[in-house]
Amino acid sequence: MKLYYSPGACSMSPHIVLHEAGLPHEAIATPTKTHKLPDGTDYYTINPLGYVPLLVLDDGRTLREGPAIVQYLADLVPDKKLAPPAGSFERYQLQEWLTFIGTELHMGFSPLFGRGANDEYKAAVKERLLGRLAWVDAQLAGRDYLMGQQFTVADAYLFTVSGWPRVVGMDLSHLPHLMAYRKRVGARPAVVATMKAEGLIP
């Protein structure tokens, strides 16, 4: 398998899951500004949409949306319990978390990374995001992970997205459960390996 990723972007989520799953893969750095791969290939010739992540299977089939990719990877290694069994109520709870993270958090950050928004609008966006993150903080009270005591693919996604506030100047120090969660997830060997592979830590 090949995973096209950009360091620290949403593609870090499936990158973490690949390491958690222990699946052999090739991770290919894909700069989102230049769209030029290390060998000079124009990334648009591989993914016409131009964004990451993109998972390419050994037979050439592709998946390009993070929540779909991580569930696919989890189902390849059911013994790792990275996702509840398909059809179970818990699987739909996992999908609920993936959807929430994707729509309420991930997409919520988009205006803060763009160039068109003015300061007043960005302040309103940050206020809304802090409200959503405060809700997540409350959900994490008494839990090690989003689904309870078991790490799942939703945690890989939340860890990735909850790292972005630091990049855009948002302070989360008043959210103790989320801060403790980030420390706990960040210490997992697979997460450390991913961050090293992406050049985010030494």
Side-chain angles (χ1 to χ4, degrees):
M1 286 185 286
K2 294 181 181 179
L3 177 71
Y4 292 87
Y5 76 93
S6 183
C10 59
S11 51
M12 190 168 79
S13 170
H15 204 177
I16 290 171
V17 174
L18 280 164
H19 280 106
E20 287 279 354
L23 292 167
H25 63 278
E26 178 185 2
I28 302 172
T30 308
T32 52
K33 291 184 179 179
T34 65
H35 296 92
K36 293 292 183 184
L37 301 183
D39 65 0
T41 300
D42 183 348
Y43 181 55
Y44 282 106
T45 64
I46 297 172
N47 180 6
L49 293 173
Y51 58 69
V52 293
L54 175 70
L55 184 73
V56 181
L57 306 184
D58 293 340
D59 62 8
R61 289 180 296 167
T62 61
L63 288 171
R64 60 174 52 88
E65 298 298 333
I69 292 172
V70 296
Q71 290 182 82
Y72 172 77
L73 296 174
D75 287 339
L76 293 179
V77 288
D79 57 305
K80 300 282 187 177
K81 298 182 178 179
L82 294 171
S88 67
F89 182 74
E90 290 76 15
R91 183 57 169 256
Y92 296 108
Q93 289 180 310
L94 176 78
Q95 291 171 348
E96 181 179 48
W97 272 118
L98 290 171
T99 301
F100 174 84
I101 297 165
T103 58
E104 297 298 322
L105 300 180
H106 181 171
M107 292 308 297
F109 276 98
S110 295
L112 302 179
F113 292 125
R115 298 178 182 175
N118 60 39
D119 290 343
E120 183 179 355
Y121 180 62
K122 286 185 177 182
V125 168
K126 288 180 180 181
E127 184 177 357
R128 176 180 170 82
L129 281 169
L130 285 172
R132 293 292 189 261
L133 289 166
W135 182 82
V136 172
D137 182 74
Q139 302 309 302
L140 287 169
R143 300 183 188 182
D144 284 345
Y145 303 107
L146 287 175
M147 298 285 290
Q149 305 311 114
Q150 176 66 44
F151 178 92
T152 69
V153 297
D155 295 298
Y157 198 9
L158 178 60
F159 178 80
T160 297
V161 174
S162 64
W164 297 347
R166 175 182 52 82
V167 179
V168 297
M170 292 171 60
D171 181 16
L172 301 186
S173 61
H174 63 293
L175 303 177
H177 304 303
L178 182 57
M179 296 299 289
Y181 167 88
R182 282 193 51 76
K183 185 176 181 180
R184 185 161 50 249
V185 175
R188 294 180 68 86
V191 176
V192 173
T194 301
M195 296 183 75
K196 286 183 176 180
E198 297 197 2
L200 300 173
I201 57 175

